[in-house]
Amino acid sequence: MIAAPVASVFPVWQSGIDRLFRGVVIGGIGSVKGAMLAAILIGLVDTFGKVLTFEIGGFQFLPELSGMMIYLLMAVVLLARPQGLFGKAG
């Protein structure tokens, strides 16, 4: 029991920087409102992707779906609005 917290340690800062990058890109660089909306959207898409992951007989299907859906959201936003959700054009 004492080794349990140590056994599950991983570098959080790497995934944190990646999440920040995705939030800034989706929201628009320099936009606080955009970053807040992007964080909510990323959380919703990530949770929805994890819900779609299912397990049958000990085998997990589509475990990487949530991460893929976030990048798909980023691609859709950048195709529709290259400056981000609340970014300024030019």
Side-chain angles (χ1 to χ4, degrees):
M1 286 303 263
I2 293 180
V6 178
S8 64
V9 173
F10 64 97
V12 177
W13 63 271
Q14 289 178 346
S15 64
I17 291 173
D18 186 39
R19 288 181 183 156
L20 287 173
F21 171 73
R22 291 182 281 186
V24 168
V25 168
I26 292 172
I29 294 178
S31 172
V32 176
K33 289 189 294 186
M36 289 174 58
L37 179 62
I40 292 170
L41 285 174
I42 287 172
L44 288 172
V45 167
D46 186 42
T47 303
F48 182 67
K50 288 178 181 172
V51 167
L52 289 179
T53 300
F54 57 94
E55 185 174 336
I56 297 176
F59 184 74
Q60 194 174 21
F61 291 94
L62 305 172
E64 64 280 341
L65 186 65
S66 64
M68 185 178 69
M69 287 179 67
I70 295 171
Y71 283 109
L72 187 64
L73 170 70
M74 189 167 77
V76 167
V77 168
L78 288 177
L79 284 173
R81 291 186 49 94
Q83 67 271 19
L85 293 175
F86 288 100
K88 295 181 176 108

